[in-house]
Amino acid sequence: MQSKKMFLFGLFVCGAVVFNGAYAEEVVEEITEEIQMEQMSADAVAAYDPNGSLFQQITDLEQQKIMMQLEKERAQLDLDLDRLAAEKIKLHMEIDTLSGRAEQQQQEIETQKAKLEAEAARIEKEKEEWIKEIEDVKKQEVKDYTSSAVSAVKAEVGGDISKNWRLVNVVGAGAQLQATVEDLNNGQKRRISVGKTLDGMTVKTISLYDGVVLVDKDGNTQVLNITNGK
């Protein structure tokens, strides 16, 4: 750019010398001053140091402001991340707690179920034993009734009661005496007291020495004592 001006300046000078010497000198001075000013501006721009300048200070302040804002946002982001991490840990703890409660409740349910099953098994066993006991009692009652009926029939046809029954022992005192007799046909034993019947005969008295005195409906008596069974 400057070389072009110098070239134009040379041409202008040559033309000025030809046409008007005085005017040419004035114009040459103006052009020379303009060229010098441009040269000074170019040198000033080349020698300009932005460090420490107002523009540099403003730029630094803006950068610091931006950095501070970024640090603030970064700090907030770190806080948010820490809060999220804490909430995550809390959530995992709550999940573990709920899981533990569920396992405990399941264990309690299993324990209660086992207790109920054991109780049901016990009741079922008692029921079976009770049914068996009732059946045994019924069988025994039928057997006793059959045996008594047979003995009664034998007694009614004039049989001796001592041939069917044996006095085993006499226990008690006074009016509370009771006798144990044994059926000679099947070996079963019965406990009798005054007023009870045996083979259709009524127990009249029980004595430690005389044994058991029985009376039939016709007033006939028979005695069972220890010696009868021997």
Side-chain angles (χ1 to χ4, degrees):
M1 180 67 181
Q2 188 175 357
S3 298
K4 184 177 180 180
K5 288 183 178 182
M6 292 296 294
F7 175 75
L8 293 173
F9 175 69
L11 291 177
F12 182 77
V13 170
C14 293
V17 171
V18 176
F19 294 102
N20 191 344
Y23 179 73
E25 291 180 359
E26 184 177 351
V27 172
V28 168
E29 291 179 357
E30 291 180 357
I31 293 174
T32 301
E33 290 178 356
E34 183 179 352
I35 291 172
Q36 290 177 352
M37 289 180 66
E38 290 181 356
Q39 184 66 37
M40 291 177 64
S41 297
D43 294 340
V45 170
Y48 177 72
D49 185 7
N51 295 327
S53 64
L54 179 61
F55 176 76
Q56 184 65 36
Q57 292 178 2
I58 294 173
T59 303
D60 292 342
L61 289 174
E62 289 295 328
Q63 290 180 351
Q64 291 178 3
K65 183 178 179 181
I66 293 172
M67 291 300 295
M68 290 177 65
Q69 183 65 27
L70 291 175
E71 289 295 332
K72 182 178 179 181
E73 293 178 356
R74 179 180 177 182
Q76 184 63 39
L77 181 60
D78 290 338
L79 289 175
D80 293 338
L81 291 175
D82 292 340
R83 179 177 58 80
L84 291 175
E87 291 180 354
K88 183 178 180 180
I89 293 173
K90 181 180 179 181
L91 180 61
H92 281 296
M93 292 177 64
E94 291 178 351
I95 292 174
D96 293 338
T97 301
L98 292 175
S99 178
R101 290 179 180 175
E103 292 178 358
Q104 183 179 1
Q105 291 178 352
Q106 183 65 28
Q107 184 64 33
E108 291 177 354
I109 291 173
E110 292 295 334
T111 301
Q112 188 66 22
K113 181 180 178 181
K115 289 182 178 179
L116 291 175
E117 290 177 352
E119 183 67 15
R122 184 186 66 81
I123 293 173
E124 184 65 24
K125 184 178 179 181
E126 290 181 354
K127 178 181 177 182
E128 293 176 355
E129 292 177 351
W130 181 68
I131 293 174
K132 183 177 182 298
E133 183 178 353
I134 291 176
E135 290 177 350
D136 292 341
V137 169
K138 287 182 178 179
K139 290 179 180 179
Q140 186 63 41
E141 289 179 350
V142 170
K143 191 174 182 180
D144 291 344
Y145 176 79
T146 303
S147 178
S148 298
V150 171
S151 298
V153 170
K154 290 181 179 180
E156 288 179 358
V157 297
D160 186 358
I161 196 170
S162 62
K163 293 181 180 180
N164 298 319
W165 297 93
R166 180 178 71 87
L167 179 61
V168 177
N169 59 34
V170 176
V171 296
Q176 302 298 323
L177 286 174
Q178 291 183 341
T180 302
V181 295
E182 179 182 0
D183 191 333
L184 297 176
N185 296 307
N186 54 32
Q188 293 182 359
K189 295 179 181 181
R190 288 181 59 183
R191 179 67 60 84
I192 58 176
S193 58
V194 175
K196 298 293 184 179
T197 60
L198 183 65
D199 287 353
M201 302 184 71
T202 303
V203 178
K204 184 177 181 180
T205 61
I206 297 177
S207 172
L208 293 173
Y209 302 101
D210 298 332
V212 179
V213 178
L214 300 101
V215 60
D216 61 17
K217 58 183 179 178
D218 295 328
N220 300 317
T221 61
Q222 294 190 40
V223 179
L224 286 177
N225 51 38
I226 301 298
T227 59
N228 292 135
K230 293 184 179 180

